[in-house]
Amino acid sequence: MIGIFRSIRMGGLLASSVTALAACAVVTPAQSERNSALYTAARTCENGSLWVERVSNEGMVYTRTMNSSGNEWAPFQKCYQEKTQPIWQRYCQAEPESPRCKR
């Protein structure tokens, strides 16, 4: 009998954990639109062996390069900042309470 209650309790903990993790991964429509636009902008700034892997839920771009000299990063960063400024402005109009928008 104790084994049944333990299984039920463990199942409840597992369900609670899965629900909590799913809640952390939820993005708003404005965040989803922003991230899609950020990814598209970042892809247009790729150069040499530097390419974009992904954009995080928070809007941070992740890149990868095979060039160890780092010469591709500065041009990418300049291009990316120029192209994403209007994207962030639109996003902050839609979600002004976002931590990134309170700067």
Side-chain angles (χ1 to χ4, degrees):
M1 191 70 162
I2 293 174
I4 293 172
F5 289 119
R6 183 176 295 151
S7 295
I8 292 171
R9 189 173 65 223
M10 292 304 288
L13 287 173
L14 179 61
S16 298
S17 298
V18 169
T19 302
L21 288 174
C24 293
V26 173
V27 294
T28 67
Q31 288 170 323
S32 180
E33 182 180 323
R34 175 204 66 198
N35 289 353
S36 177
L38 290 173
Y39 182 76
T40 299
R43 292 292 312 269
T44 65
C45 295
E46 291 177 328
N47 63 75
S49 68
L50 185 145
W51 70 90
V52 175
E53 287 190 329
R54 66 185 179 91
V55 174
S56 72
N57 286 348
E58 295 79 26
M60 293 189 57
V61 67
Y62 288 83
T63 61
R64 180 179 294 200
T65 185
M66 297 304 242
N67 182 356
S68 62
S69 69
N71 293 334
E72 296 155 336
W73 177 248
F76 171 82
Q77 190 67 4
K78 183 177 189 268
C79 173
Y80 184 69
Q81 287 177 351
E82 289 172 359
K83 292 190 176 200
T84 60
Q85 185 176 7
I87 296 167
W88 281 105
Q89 287 174 343
R90 280 193 310 272
Y91 171 71
C92 288
Q93 287 175 348
E95 294 199 12
E97 295 301 314
S98 173
R100 173 77 188 254
C101 300
K102 291 183 179 183
R103 293 181 180 185

